[in-house]
Amino acid sequence: YAMAKYGENCKIRLCGRETRNQIKFDGLIKVNGIEEKIEITTPFRSEEDNEQMKQLNKFGTTDFKIGYYQDPGEKIKNIVQDALNNKNSKDSYDNTVNLVILYEGFEDLFIDKISDDTYFESLFEDFKDGEYIFNSVSVLIDRYKGSDIEIAPRIIKIKPLKKPRFSFENEENL
């Protein structure tokens, strides 16, 4: 997310810190004297998927599933909506935290959809009118690397940053 948004000239600290007000977040990004608190959620990976990937990686093996075709757009929207509702319903966040929902479920999409920002923007258009406790809400489309193509990560904004970011005075803590 930080690299996609700010490039390589930013400082990143994954900290899982709680403030005195019990505001939780996963990390801090600092660039040009500005601090951005981020909460990252990865709803496209189940515990079963993570464990299976670890096991298969030990043997250099891959896996596939056979199932009924489902419109991948609806599936993506539903997963993002569930993650957004889950995070938005908690009282441990406020409008100083920026929520980032990581999308990495490329196995359901053809390459023309994976590379199409307009496609992803259309999936999340309905979410833009929602009321969110977060300062901003974005979906990070993860880096895609196929056998003959690589697509850089991109950020799709659901709720753009509306409040000015504040300065981070104590730089050595980052």
Side-chain angles (χ1 to χ4, degrees):
Y1 171 77
M3 299 291 281
K5 186 170 182 180
Y6 299 111
E8 295 183 13
N9 295 325
C10 63
K11 295 180 183 179
I12 304 167
R13 180 174 176 214
L14 298 177
C15 57
R17 186 170 87 183
E18 294 184 22
T19 65
R20 285 182 226 137
N21 296 326
Q22 299 301 316
I23 304 302
K24 299 176 185 177
F25 54 94
D26 291 324
L28 297 169
I29 300 170
K30 182 164 187 280
V31 62
N32 298 328
I34 297 170
E35 176 188 71
E36 180 178 348
K37 294 183 217 173
I38 58 169
E39 171 72 11
I40 301 175
T41 184
T42 58
F44 288 90
R45 286 188 190 170
S46 69
E47 289 300 320
E48 178 185 326
D49 290 338
N50 286 337
E51 188 57 38
Q52 186 177 29
M53 282 192 306
K54 288 177 191 174
Q55 294 301 320
L56 292 171
N57 282 340
K58 289 180 184 177
F59 301 106
T61 308
T62 188
D63 191 19
F64 62 90
K65 293 181 183 178
I66 298 174
Y68 295 105
Y69 177 78
Q70 175 185 358
D71 177 17
E74 285 303 310
K75 179 181 174 185
I76 294 165
K77 284 171 61 173
N78 290 338
I79 291 171
V80 169
Q81 182 71 62
D82 290 346
L84 187 51
N85 289 343
N86 178 37
K87 291 291 184 177
N88 203 47
S89 68
K90 299 185 178 190
D91 60 1
S92 57
Y93 306 111
D94 70 4
N95 66 0
T96 66
V97 177
N98 300 323
L99 177 64
V100 178
I101 301 169
L102 176 62
Y103 172 73
E104 55 188 352
F106 299 117
E107 65 275 353
D108 293 334
L109 296 175
F110 292 106
I111 193 66
D112 64 324
K113 297 290 188 199
I114 293 172
S115 62
D116 186 358
D117 288 347
T118 306
Y119 171 72
F120 284 105
E121 288 171 5
S122 71
L123 291 179
F124 310 128
E125 189 65 35
D126 293 342
F127 304 156
K128 292 185 178 187
D129 294 329
E131 292 291 324
Y132 306 112
I133 58 176
F134 299 96
N135 189 26
S136 73
V137 178
S138 302
V139 177
L140 172 62
I141 310 301
D142 201 9
R143 177 183 316 277
Y144 174 80
K145 187 168 183 166
S147 59
D148 59 347
I149 189 170
E150 185 170 341
I151 302 169
R154 292 102 63 206
I155 299 169
I156 307 297
K157 295 178 182 176
I158 292 176
K159 176 186 175 190
L161 192 67
K162 291 191 177 178
K163 294 184 179 241
R165 289 178 252 158
F166 52 91
S167 176
F168 187 58
E169 296 174 13
N170 200 356
E171 293 184 24
E172 65 273 1
N173 288 334
L174 187 59

